Amino acid sequence: MSEQTPYEPRIVAFLCKWCSSAGSDLAGVSRIQYPANATPITVACSGGVSPQYILSALRKGADGVLVSGCHIGDCHYMEGNMHARRKLYLVKELLEFAGVEPERFRMSWVSAAEGAKFAQVVRDFVEDLRPLGPQDKLNAERP
Amino acid sequence: MIDLNALRTQAADILETGEVGAVIGWRRGSRGMAAEPVAIVAPEEAASLVWDPTCFHNLALYLVEERKKPAQRQVHGGKPIAIVAKGCDARAVTVLLQENHFGRDDVYVIGVSCEGTGVLDERKLAQVLPGVEPDGAAFDGDNFVFATSEGERRVPAREAMMDRCLECRNAHPKLNNVVFGEETPRDFDAPFAALKRFEQRPAAERWQFWQRQFERCIRCFACRSVCPMCYCDECVVDSINLVVTPETTAAEKADRVRWIERSASRADNIGYHMTRALHLAGRCVDCGECERVCPVNIPLRLLNNKMEREAREAFGYEPGASIDLPALVASFRDDDPGQFIR
Amino acid sequence: MEALLDKNRLKDWIAALDGWEAYAPARQDGIWSYQPAGDNPELNHPNTPQPPKGFAFPQREIFFKFEQVKGEAPRLTAVSPAPTFRVVFGVRPCDGRAVPRMDRVFSDHVDDGYYQARRDGLAYVGLACNTPPSRHCFCQSVGGSPVSTDGLDVLLTDLGERYFVAAVTDTGKALMQAAGALLAKPGAAERKEVARLHAAAVAQPQRGVNDAAAAPAKLKAGFDSPLWEELARACIGCGICTFLCPTCHCFDINDEVTGTVPLKGSRVRTWDSCQFPDFTMHSSGHNPRDTLGSRLRQRVSHKFRYFHENFGMHQCTGCGRCVSECPVGIDIVRVVNEIAGSV
């Protein structure tokens, strides 16, 4: 990376269709300013986010991965986010165990009404990732 | 002490009465002193069965013959299959039952207790008895006894046992139709002892460690092939889709996601092993076979142990403890840890 | 050209090999493997679980890189191995004998430029097996010997405090000349000792294939034997036997895409194994070798029949790795003997 272009963390954000994706839309229509580092991918439910998605994003060079769903109790599919919480806890633990910075994986619950919270989650994530620098551990393209 | 003759008689009896169609056990092999897996179908073959410290294989694998084909379909007309199972192997059968791979009546578990010992680690033996290649191994209380060209050599079992056996949680098969050997108190390493030591190391060191281990992987897939739980029809690391039929369209084939490339490169090896560890979370019974068979000595048990310990501590879940448990990641509790979520 | 080298001067010989990268077996993380020669390499290894075949035939070889901007013609960038001079120390004679076999495969009909580019700069310094490194060795029954020089450039024989160093090829002579004064002239006593050790090594009892010369015809006659399935009953279908084999050379070629806008990636060759279920899988879903027995037959017949039919020699060099490393004890010697004995 040349010195002219400062490092900007690249985030892949898996957002559930019912809450977090709607929350990100609200942030947009409310004209809340937040960094453009996150590439959103809408999924039906956070419970459908396979650990493979997270590993794959990191393999393809993401600096951080965000998974965001409905608050506990609000899942459109009743309990999808409960499954996500358990499954992705294991992913978080495994990454940390292998020595990958745990800050690179983040989860949040953002409802359709929480545009401001979504913006804050992304803002915080970008700021926490910045000091870590580019993610080169799981990145297949590492020179 | 297990009476081998009683075990053989039991095997012969259930074959004779037709209670089972086959017995999967061990017999003498031709690879040095090591036992080899065998499926016997005639009562007279029971005399070839053995039980000794080289019976390391987890035979539950053969209940899942060749990717999800239940063994009984292949062998003898729908009759149950008997399997000789150590404590860990019996836990593996429990998980397969939990996952409805077959019914409880389809399998007859001949339990063998490892009692106060466990099975042999050939790599350790090469260090303990350098240059000695024994012709046979036997249990004897706290010792392994090896037959060598220079006579008998006794080695304290603790020194040459698999790490998995030192940390074994249940050496006595809980799931069984019949069991040989006693439930003996054991005094080796505490479960997860090696894992706890490893976790003390700083993150950067852990990463250096795993990077070195995974760069060595040659992707022979022995870990996957030997695992009774790795029975998926199609695996993320395969470069083609194994479940194609003549009806599968070209578009479907082309659209298959290549999650992990075939190359034995660092990123792809890590992707493979992490995926496997996650897929085994709550299912791995720590039989340790993946680690034993790895030709480049990758400490795969550490990864699986980590997932097992998390399942236990965070979710109160113990793999292979009961047939009635739902799968770890197909269930949840209201008080599952969520503090890490913003 | 023959000479004596003090064992503790091996490191000095390696240091004197100007322009050569040296490799030797080292025990790391509990296993032996070929590593860049450290400060003081000692050739006291059993045979390494992995043979040195990866030096000329690495598990992953990039053929070329590609990139295509939508609507434009694809741009290809050739990738070829950088020319290097590498010398591998401590190669056992069975692995030495694998070298001419691999050379044949990669030069027959078509010269494989990638293999050739790596092979051209490679030299092998072998180590005679005064005592068999493993009970699974069966080199003699397949025409080899614990002191064979086939495929090697230099053969070392362990004389206790010293190595007896014998050049086999011109490259070997050049390597020895680089050692200069490190090498001493051997006397009649040392030559006699080498002859005695070699004779003793050959006389060591070894297990083996009963009649290797008859194997091709016997395996052909036993092609449809039901024994194949029986012998493969415990097989778990992993790739250990083939990936650790010094002469297995099957590969797969894939395009590894690393980006889509613009489309870019590499065309990559990787090892493949006839023991994997997808090896012969057709795109229709039909798999002509869909049983473990048929795959075992393929592996064993390639070693002891097809290769012989094509090149007039057995492919198997009797290193014993597929026997010692098999997770369930499938034993190629037993397989050949049982099939041959059944017809």
mmCIF file with all atom_site columns, all heavy atoms in Angstrom, chain A residues 80-97:
data_model
loop_
_atom_site.group_PDB
_atom_site.id
_atom_site.type_symbol
_atom_site.label_atom_id
_atom_site.label_alt_id
_atom_site.label_comp_id
_atom_site.label_asym_id
_atom_site.label_entity_id
_atom_site.label_seq_id
_atom_site.pdbx_PDB_ins_code
_atom_site.Cartn_x
_atom_site.Cartn_y
_atom_site.Cartn_z
_atom_site.occupancy
_atom_site.B_iso_or_equiv
_atom_site.pdbx_formal_charge
_atom_site.auth_seq_id
_atom_site.auth_comp_id
_atom_site.auth_asym_id
_atom_site.auth_atom_id
_atom_site.pdbx_PDB_model_num
ATOM 1   N N   . GLY A 1 80 ? -33.851 -17.473 15.410 1.00 0.00 ? 80 GLY A N   1
ATOM 2   C CA  . GLY A 1 80 ? -32.664 -17.514 14.553 1.00 0.00 ? 80 GLY A CA  1
ATOM 3   C C   . GLY A 1 80 ? -31.470 -16.848 15.202 1.00 0.00 ? 80 GLY A C   1
ATOM 4   O O   . GLY A 1 80 ? -30.340 -17.363 15.155 1.00 0.00 ? 80 GLY A O   1
ATOM 5   N N   . ASN A 1 81 ? -31.709 -15.715 15.855 1.00 0.00 ? 81 ASN A N   1
ATOM 6   C CA  . ASN A 1 81 ? -30.579 -15.000 16.441 1.00 0.00 ? 81 ASN A CA  1
ATOM 7   C C   . ASN A 1 81 ? -30.016 -15.718 17.673 1.00 0.00 ? 81 ASN A C   1
ATOM 8   O O   . ASN A 1 81 ? -28.853 -15.548 18.018 1.00 0.00 ? 81 ASN A O   1
ATOM 9   C CB  . ASN A 1 81 ? -30.950 -13.538 16.763 1.00 0.00 ? 81 ASN A CB  1
ATOM 10  C CG  . ASN A 1 81 ? -32.225 -13.444 17.590 1.00 0.00 ? 81 ASN A CG  1
ATOM 11  O OD1 . ASN A 1 81 ? -32.799 -14.449 17.977 1.00 0.00 ? 81 ASN A OD1 1
ATOM 12  N ND2 . ASN A 1 81 ? -32.653 -12.206 17.858 1.00 0.00 ? 81 ASN A ND2 1
ATOM 13  N N   . MET A 1 82 ? -30.857 -16.550 18.305 1.00 0.00 ? 82 MET A N   1
ATOM 14  C CA  . MET A 1 82 ? -30.343 -17.349 19.426 1.00 0.00 ? 82 MET A CA  1
ATOM 15  C C   . MET A 1 82 ? -29.328 -18.372 18.899 1.00 0.00 ? 82 MET A C   1
ATOM 16  O O   . MET A 1 82 ? -28.314 -18.647 19.545 1.00 0.00 ? 82 MET A O   1
ATOM 17  C CB  . MET A 1 82 ? -31.484 -18.104 20.116 1.00 0.00 ? 82 MET A CB  1
ATOM 18  C CG  . MET A 1 82 ? -32.684 -17.263 20.455 1.00 0.00 ? 82 MET A CG  1
ATOM 19  S SD  . MET A 1 82 ? -32.411 -16.328 21.945 1.00 0.00 ? 82 MET A SD  1
ATOM 20  C CE  . MET A 1 82 ? -33.288 -17.325 23.115 1.00 0.00 ? 82 MET A CE  1
ATOM 21  N N   . HIS A 1 83 ? -29.647 -18.932 17.742 1.00 0.00 ? 83 HIS A N   1
ATOM 22  C CA  . HIS A 1 83 ? -28.706 -19.868 17.126 1.00 0.00 ? 83 HIS A CA  1
ATOM 23  C C   . HIS A 1 83 ? -27.441 -19.140 16.700 1.00 0.00 ? 83 HIS A C   1
ATOM 24  O O   . HIS A 1 83 ? -26.333 -19.647 16.869 1.00 0.00 ? 83 HIS A O   1
ATOM 25  C CB  . HIS A 1 83 ? -29.352 -20.555 15.917 1.00 0.00 ? 83 HIS A CB  1
ATOM 26  C CG  . HIS A 1 83 ? -30.398 -21.560 16.299 1.00 0.00 ? 83 HIS A CG  1
ATOM 27  N ND1 . HIS A 1 83 ? -30.096 -22.731 16.933 1.00 0.00 ? 83 HIS A ND1 1
ATOM 28  C CD2 . HIS A 1 83 ? -31.749 -21.553 16.153 1.00 0.00 ? 83 HIS A CD2 1
ATOM 29  C CE1 . HIS A 1 83 ? -31.206 -23.420 17.163 1.00 0.00 ? 83 HIS A CE1 1
ATOM 30  N NE2 . HIS A 1 83 ? -32.237 -22.726 16.698 1.00 0.00 ? 83 HIS A NE2 1
ATOM 31  N N   . ALA A 1 84 ? -27.621 -17.945 16.139 1.00 0.00 ? 84 ALA A N   1
ATOM 32  C CA  . ALA A 1 84 ? -26.462 -17.174 15.695 1.00 0.00 ? 84 ALA A CA  1
ATOM 33  C C   . ALA A 1 84 ? -25.541 -16.895 16.876 1.00 0.00 ? 84 ALA A C   1
ATOM 34  O O   . ALA A 1 84 ? -24.319 -17.025 16.773 1.00 0.00 ? 84 ALA A O   1
ATOM 35  C CB  . ALA A 1 84 ? -26.914 -15.859 15.060 1.00 0.00 ? 84 ALA A CB  1
ATOM 36  N N   . ARG A 1 85 ? -26.132 -16.508 17.999 1.00 0.00 ? 85 ARG A N   1
ATOM 37  C CA  . ARG A 1 85 ? -25.348 -16.148 19.178 1.00 0.00 ? 85 ARG A CA  1
ATOM 38  C C   . ARG A 1 85 ? -24.452 -17.308 19.613 1.00 0.00 ? 85 ARG A C   1
ATOM 39  O O   . ARG A 1 85 ? -23.275 -17.139 19.898 1.00 0.00 ? 85 ARG A O   1
ATOM 40  C CB  . ARG A 1 85 ? -26.301 -15.760 20.303 1.00 0.00 ? 85 ARG A CB  1
ATOM 41  C CG  . ARG A 1 85 ? -25.626 -15.331 21.563 1.00 0.00 ? 85 ARG A CG  1
ATOM 42  C CD  . ARG A 1 85 ? -26.628 -14.791 22.552 1.00 0.00 ? 85 ARG A CD  1
ATOM 43  N NE  . ARG A 1 85 ? -27.553 -15.830 23.022 1.00 0.00 ? 85 ARG A NE  1
ATOM 44  C CZ  . ARG A 1 85 ? -28.499 -15.623 23.937 1.00 0.00 ? 85 ARG A CZ  1
ATOM 45  N NH1 . ARG A 1 85 ? -28.665 -14.420 24.459 1.00 0.00 ? 85 ARG A NH1 1
ATOM 46  N NH2 . ARG A 1 85 ? -29.293 -16.599 24.323 1.00 0.00 ? 85 ARG A NH2 1
ATOM 47  N N   . ARG A 1 86 ? -25.021 -18.504 19.632 1.00 0.00 ? 86 ARG A N   1
ATOM 48  C CA  . ARG A 1 86 ? -24.257 -19.670 20.072 1.00 0.00 ? 86 ARG A CA  1
ATOM 49  C C   . ARG A 1 86 ? -23.194 -20.059 19.036 1.00 0.00 ? 86 ARG A C   1
ATOM 50  O O   . ARG A 1 86 ? -22.024 -20.260 19.355 1.00 0.00 ? 86 ARG A O   1
ATOM 51  C CB  . ARG A 1 86 ? -25.211 -20.849 20.307 1.00 0.00 ? 86 ARG A CB  1
ATOM 52  C CG  . ARG A 1 86 ? -24.513 -22.097 20.742 1.00 0.00 ? 86 ARG A CG  1
ATOM 53  C CD  . ARG A 1 86 ? -25.491 -23.193 21.133 1.00 0.00 ? 86 ARG A CD  1
ATOM 54  N NE  . ARG A 1 86 ? -25.885 -23.090 22.531 1.00 0.00 ? 86 ARG A NE  1
ATOM 55  C CZ  . ARG A 1 86 ? -26.297 -24.124 23.271 1.00 0.00 ? 86 ARG A CZ  1
ATOM 56  N NH1 . ARG A 1 86 ? -26.388 -25.327 22.734 1.00 0.00 ? 86 ARG A NH1 1
ATOM 57  N NH2 . ARG A 1 86 ? -26.633 -23.977 24.525 1.00 0.00 ? 86 ARG A NH2 1
ATOM 58  N N   . LYS A 1 87 ? -23.614 -20.124 17.794 1.00 0.00 ? 87 LYS A N   1
ATOM 59  C CA  . LYS A 1 87 ? -22.720 -20.590 16.724 1.00 0.00 ? 87 LYS A CA  1
ATOM 60  C C   . LYS A 1 87 ? -21.546 -19.630 16.544 1.00 0.00 ? 87 LYS A C   1
ATOM 61  O O   . LYS A 1 87 ? -20.398 -20.043 16.421 1.00 0.00 ? 87 LYS A O   1
ATOM 62  C CB  . LYS A 1 87 ? -23.541 -20.681 15.423 1.00 0.00 ? 87 LYS A CB  1
ATOM 63  C CG  . LYS A 1 87 ? -22.937 -21.488 14.343 1.00 0.00 ? 87 LYS A CG  1
ATOM 64  C CD  . LYS A 1 87 ? -23.987 -21.940 13.316 1.00 0.00 ? 87 LYS A CD  1
ATOM 65  C CE  . LYS A 1 87 ? -24.978 -20.873 12.920 1.00 0.00 ? 87 LYS A CE  1
ATOM 66  N NZ  . LYS A 1 87 ? -26.006 -21.335 11.995 1.00 0.00 ? 87 LYS A NZ  1
ATOM 67  N N   . LEU A 1 88 ? -21.849 -18.343 16.544 1.00 0.00 ? 88 LEU A N   1
ATOM 68  C CA  . LEU A 1 88 ? -20.802 -17.378 16.242 1.00 0.00 ? 88 LEU A CA  1
ATOM 69  C C   . LEU A 1 88 ? -19.925 -17.086 17.464 1.00 0.00 ? 88 LEU A C   1
ATOM 70  O O   . LEU A 1 88 ? -18.797 -16.633 17.328 1.00 0.00 ? 88 LEU A O   1
ATOM 71  C CB  . LEU A 1 88 ? -21.404 -16.106 15.640 1.00 0.00 ? 88 LEU A CB  1
ATOM 72  C CG  . LEU A 1 88 ? -22.198 -16.402 14.347 1.00 0.00 ? 88 LEU A CG  1
ATOM 73  C CD1 . LEU A 1 88 ? -22.717 -15.113 13.724 1.00 0.00 ? 88 LEU A CD1 1
ATOM 74  C CD2 . LEU A 1 88 ? -21.380 -17.178 13.315 1.00 0.00 ? 88 LEU A CD2 1
ATOM 75  N N   . TYR A 1 89 ? -20.436 -17.408 18.637 1.00 0.00 ? 89 TYR A N   1
ATOM 76  C CA  . TYR A 1 89 ? -19.573 -17.375 19.825 1.00 0.00 ? 89 TYR A CA  1
ATOM 77  C C   . TYR A 1 89 ? -18.397 -18.324 19.617 1.00 0.00 ? 89 TYR A C   1
ATOM 78  O O   . TYR A 1 89 ? -17.247 -18.020 19.936 1.00 0.00 ? 89 TYR A O   1
ATOM 79  C CB  . TYR A 1 89 ? -20.382 -17.790 21.063 1.00 0.00 ? 89 TYR A CB  1
ATOM 80  C CG  . TYR A 1 89 ? -19.547 -18.009 22.302 1.00 0.00 ? 89 TYR A CG  1
ATOM 81  C CD1 . TYR A 1 89 ? -19.190 -16.935 23.117 1.00 0.00 ? 89 TYR A CD1 1
ATOM 82  C CD2 . TYR A 1 89 ? -19.097 -19.289 22.653 1.00 0.00 ? 89 TYR A CD2 1
ATOM 83  C CE1 . TYR A 1 89 ? -18.415 -17.138 24.248 1.00 0.00 ? 89 TYR A CE1 1
ATOM 84  C CE2 . TYR A 1 89 ? -18.318 -19.494 23.778 1.00 0.00 ? 89 TYR A CE2 1
ATOM 85  C CZ  . TYR A 1 89 ? -17.979 -18.423 24.577 1.00 0.00 ? 89 TYR A CZ  1
ATOM 86  O OH  . TYR A 1 89 ? -17.203 -18.621 25.684 1.00 0.00 ? 89 TYR A OH  1
ATOM 87  N N   . LEU A 1 90 ? -18.707 -19.496 19.059 1.00 0.00 ? 90 LEU A N   1
ATOM 88  C CA  . LEU A 1 90 ? -17.654 -20.482 18.816 1.00 0.00 ? 90 LEU A CA  1
ATOM 89  C C   . LEU A 1 90 ? -16.648 -19.972 17.794 1.00 0.00 ? 90 LEU A C   1
ATOM 90  O O   . LEU A 1 90 ? -15.446 -20.187 17.922 1.00 0.00 ? 90 LEU A O   1
ATOM 91  C CB  . LEU A 1 90 ? -18.266 -21.808 18.348 1.00 0.00 ? 90 LEU A CB  1
ATOM 92  C CG  . LEU A 1 90 ? -19.125 -22.548 19.381 1.00 0.00 ? 90 LEU A CG  1
ATOM 93  C CD1 . LEU A 1 90 ? -19.867 -23.710 18.727 1.00 0.00 ? 90 LEU A CD1 1
ATOM 94  C CD2 . LEU A 1 90 ? -18.267 -23.062 20.533 1.00 0.00 ? 90 LEU A CD2 1
ATOM 95  N N   . VAL A 1 91 ? -17.142 -19.278 16.766 1.00 0.00 ? 91 VAL A N   1
ATOM 96  C CA  . VAL A 1 91 ? -16.242 -18.716 15.753 1.00 0.00 ? 91 VAL A CA  1
ATOM 97  C C   . VAL A 1 91 ? -15.302 -17.701 16.408 1.00 0.00 ? 91 VAL A C   1
ATOM 98  O O   . VAL A 1 91 ? -14.087 -17.714 16.202 1.00 0.00 ? 91 VAL A O   1
ATOM 99  C CB  . VAL A 1 91 ? -17.040 -18.032 14.616 1.00 0.00 ? 91 VAL A CB  1
ATOM 100 C CG1 . VAL A 1 91 ? -16.097 -17.362 13.635 1.00 0.00 ? 91 VAL A CG1 1
ATOM 101 C CG2 . VAL A 1 91 ? -17.918 -19.038 13.901 1.00 0.00 ? 91 VAL A CG2 1
ATOM 102 N N   . LYS A 1 92 ? -15.892 -16.843 17.233 1.00 0.00 ? 92 LYS A N   1
ATOM 103 C CA  . LYS A 1 92 ? -15.101 -15.824 17.911 1.00 0.00 ? 92 LYS A CA  1
ATOM 104 C C   . LYS A 1 92 ? -14.010 -16.476 18.774 1.00 0.00 ? 92 LYS A C   1
ATOM 105 O O   . LYS A 1 92 ? -12.846 -16.090 18.733 1.00 0.00 ? 92 LYS A O   1
ATOM 106 C CB  . LYS A 1 92 ? -16.029 -14.987 18.795 1.00 0.00 ? 92 LYS A CB  1
ATOM 107 C CG  . LYS A 1 92 ? -15.340 -13.940 19.631 1.00 0.00 ? 92 LYS A CG  1
ATOM 108 C CD  . LYS A 1 92 ? -16.315 -13.250 20.575 1.00 0.00 ? 92 LYS A CD  1
ATOM 109 C CE  . LYS A 1 92 ? -16.549 -14.008 21.872 1.00 0.00 ? 92 LYS A CE  1
ATOM 110 N NZ  . LYS A 1 92 ? -15.515 -13.869 22.881 1.00 0.00 ? 92 LYS A NZ  1
ATOM 111 N N   . GLU A 1 93 ? -14.412 -17.501 19.508 1.00 0.00 ? 93 GLU A N   1
ATOM 112 C CA  . GLU A 1 93 ? -13.452 -18.179 20.374 1.00 0.00 ? 93 GLU A CA  1
ATOM 113 C C   . GLU A 1 93 ? -12.339 -18.851 19.581 1.00 0.00 ? 93 GLU A C   1
ATOM 114 O O   . GLU A 1 93 ? -11.180 -18.823 19.960 1.00 0.00 ? 93 GLU A O   1
ATOM 115 C CB  . GLU A 1 93 ? -14.176 -19.230 21.241 1.00 0.00 ? 93 GLU A CB  1
ATOM 116 C CG  . GLU A 1 93 ? -15.001 -18.649 22.360 1.00 0.00 ? 93 GLU A CG  1
ATOM 117 C CD  . GLU A 1 93 ? -14.148 -17.934 23.407 1.00 0.00 ? 93 GLU A CD  1
ATOM 118 O OE1 . GLU A 1 93 ? -13.031 -18.410 23.691 1.00 0.00 ? 93 GLU A OE1 1
ATOM 119 O OE2 . GLU A 1 93 ? -14.596 -16.895 23.919 1.00 0.00 ? 93 GLU A OE2 1
ATOM 120 N N   . LEU A 1 94 ? -12.733 -19.464 18.470 1.00 0.00 ? 94 LEU A N   1
ATOM 121 C CA  . LEU A 1 94 ? -11.749 -20.195 17.673 1.00 0.00 ? 94 LEU A CA  1
ATOM 122 C C   . LEU A 1 94 ? -10.734 -19.232 17.054 1.00 0.00 ? 94 LEU A C   1
ATOM 123 O O   . LEU A 1 94 ? -9.529  -19.498 17.043 1.00 0.00 ? 94 LEU A O   1
ATOM 124 C CB  . LEU A 1 94 ? -12.446 -21.022 16.585 1.00 0.00 ? 94 LEU A CB  1
ATOM 125 C CG  . LEU A 1 94 ? -11.503 -21.917 15.764 1.00 0.00 ? 94 LEU A CG  1
ATOM 126 C CD1 . LEU A 1 94 ? -10.895 -23.008 16.639 1.00 0.00 ? 94 LEU A CD1 1
ATOM 127 C CD2 . LEU A 1 94 ? -12.237 -22.552 14.591 1.00 0.00 ? 94 LEU A CD2 1
ATOM 128 N N   . LEU A 1 95 ? -11.222 -18.112 16.541 1.00 0.00 ? 95 LEU A N   1
ATOM 129 C CA  . LEU A 1 95 ? -10.320 -17.133 15.938 1.00 0.00 ? 95 LEU A CA  1
ATOM 130 C C   . LEU A 1 95 ? -9.310  -16.649 16.979 1.00 0.00 ? 95 LEU A C   1
ATOM 131 O O   . LEU A 1 95 ? -8.103  -16.594 16.714 1.00 0.00 ? 95 LEU A O   1
ATOM 132 C CB  . LEU A 1 95 ? -11.104 -15.941 15.374 1.00 0.00 ? 95 LEU A CB  1
ATOM 133 C CG  . LEU A 1 95 ? -11.888 -16.208 14.100 1.00 0.00 ? 95 LEU A CG  1
ATOM 134 C CD1 . LEU A 1 95 ? -12.784 -15.014 13.771 1.00 0.00 ? 95 LEU A CD1 1
ATOM 135 C CD2 . LEU A 1 95 ? -10.962 -16.497 12.919 1.00 0.00 ? 95 LEU A CD2 1
ATOM 136 N N   . GLU A 1 96 ? -9.821  -16.347 18.157 1.00 0.00 ? 96 GLU A N   1
ATOM 137 C CA  . GLU A 1 96 ? -8.944  -15.849 19.208 1.00 0.00 ? 96 GLU A CA  1
ATOM 138 C C   . GLU A 1 96 ? -7.933  -16.920 19.616 1.00 0.00 ? 96 GLU A C   1
ATOM 139 O O   . GLU A 1 96 ? -6.753  -16.639 19.815 1.00 0.00 ? 96 GLU A O   1
ATOM 140 C CB  . GLU A 1 96 ? -9.791  -15.413 20.406 1.00 0.00 ? 96 GLU A CB  1
ATOM 141 C CG  . GLU A 1 96 ? -8.969  -14.719 21.469 1.00 0.00 ? 96 GLU A CG  1
ATOM 142 C CD  . GLU A 1 96 ? -9.832  -14.060 22.539 1.00 0.00 ? 96 GLU A CD  1
ATOM 143 O OE1 . GLU A 1 96 ? -11.070 -14.093 22.411 1.00 0.00 ? 96 GLU A OE1 1
ATOM 144 O OE2 . GLU A 1 96 ? -9.242  -13.517 23.487 1.00 0.00 ? 96 GLU A OE2 1
ATOM 145 N N   . PHE A 1 97 ? -8.415  -18.144 19.685 1.00 0.00 ? 97 PHE A N   1
ATOM 146 C CA  . PHE A 1 97 ? -7.553  -19.268 20.064 1.00 0.00 ? 97 PHE A CA  1
ATOM 147 C C   . PHE A 1 97 ? -6.398  -19.431 19.073 1.00 0.00 ? 97 PHE A C   1
ATOM 148 O O   . PHE A 1 97 ? -5.265  -19.725 19.444 1.00 0.00 ? 97 PHE A O   1
ATOM 149 C CB  . PHE A 1 97 ? -8.399  -20.544 20.100 1.00 0.00 ? 97 PHE A CB  1
ATOM 150 C CG  . PHE A 1 97 ? -7.655  -21.784 20.476 1.00 0.00 ? 97 PHE A CG  1
ATOM 151 C CD1 . PHE A 1 97 ? -7.168  -21.954 21.764 1.00 0.00 ? 97 PHE A CD1 1
ATOM 152 C CD2 . PHE A 1 97 ? -7.446  -22.798 19.553 1.00 0.00 ? 97 PHE A CD2 1
ATOM 153 C CE1 . PHE A 1 97 ? -6.488  -23.115 22.124 1.00 0.00 ? 97 PHE A CE1 1
ATOM 154 C CE2 . PHE A 1 97 ? -6.768  -23.951 19.899 1.00 0.00 ? 97 PHE A CE2 1
ATOM 155 C CZ  . PHE A 1 97 ? -6.288  -24.107 21.189 1.00 0.00 ? 97 PHE A CZ  1
#
